[in-house]
Amino acid sequence: MSRVLVIESSARQQGSVSRQLTQDFIVQWQSAHPADEIQVRDLAVDQVPHLDADLLGGWMKPADQQSASEKGALQRSNLLTEELLAADVLVLAAPMYNFAIPSTLKSWLDHVLRAGVTFKYTETGPKGLLTGKRAFILTARGGIYSGGPLDHQEPYLRQAMGFIGIHDVTFIHAEGLNMGDEFQEKGLASAKAQLARVA
């Protein structure tokens, strides 16, 4: 049995293509892996605060020197990190907002990319500690950006995953969603076909 952690980051609950892709992924994954455990964390519903002084204090200060707010920030970071550590498969749903990922997803990453926990520094540079995991990243984009200079999602997320040791990363892009019915249908069909192959 594997554990699958799904991270939703769309600001919309209704009409969200990334959420639609996530639901398709879950249905297909459960059909192929009925014994697997799937956990969904919705960052639009249960928001993760931006990186702040409380979180830095929780990470860096000894426990007996932490304020109540620093202890709370550390506890939240520990919970999110433990969920990631326990997962065998990570699914990130990432709509494109202004050429990049939602700030909610960036905040989640800021809580789980932790020195000594998900990566460590060595004499030869940083080394990811989450080897052996797989990641699927489902994106929804109004235009077509794959491989172009305005795609700041895939390079960033691929680097972030590799930084913590996750190198088996599959991207599924639904693109052209705001370019008219023909492009929208083609983009959704392409993404759904890829989902069917990988899930």
Side-chain angles (χ1 to χ4, degrees), residues 25 49 72 78 93 97 99 105 127 133 144 151 153 156 158:
F25 180 94
N78 286 342
Y97 293 163
F99 310 109
L105 182 54
K127 179 180 180 181
K133 299 182 186 293
I144 297 175
D151 182 357
Q153 282 186 314
Y156 170 71
R158 192 176 292 281

Side-chain angles (χ1 to χ4, degrees), residues 121-135:
Y121 290 109
T122 71
E123 294 179 352
T124 57
K127 179 180 180 181
L129 300 176
L130 304 189
T131 57
K133 299 182 186 293
R134 302 170 65 191

Side-chain angles (χ1 to χ4, degrees), residues 39-54:
Q39 176 185 359
V40 178
R41 175 168 287 280
D42 191 336
L43 300 178
V45 174
D46 187 10
Q47 294 189 3
V48 176
H50 291 293
L51 179 65
D52 59 13
D54 286 335

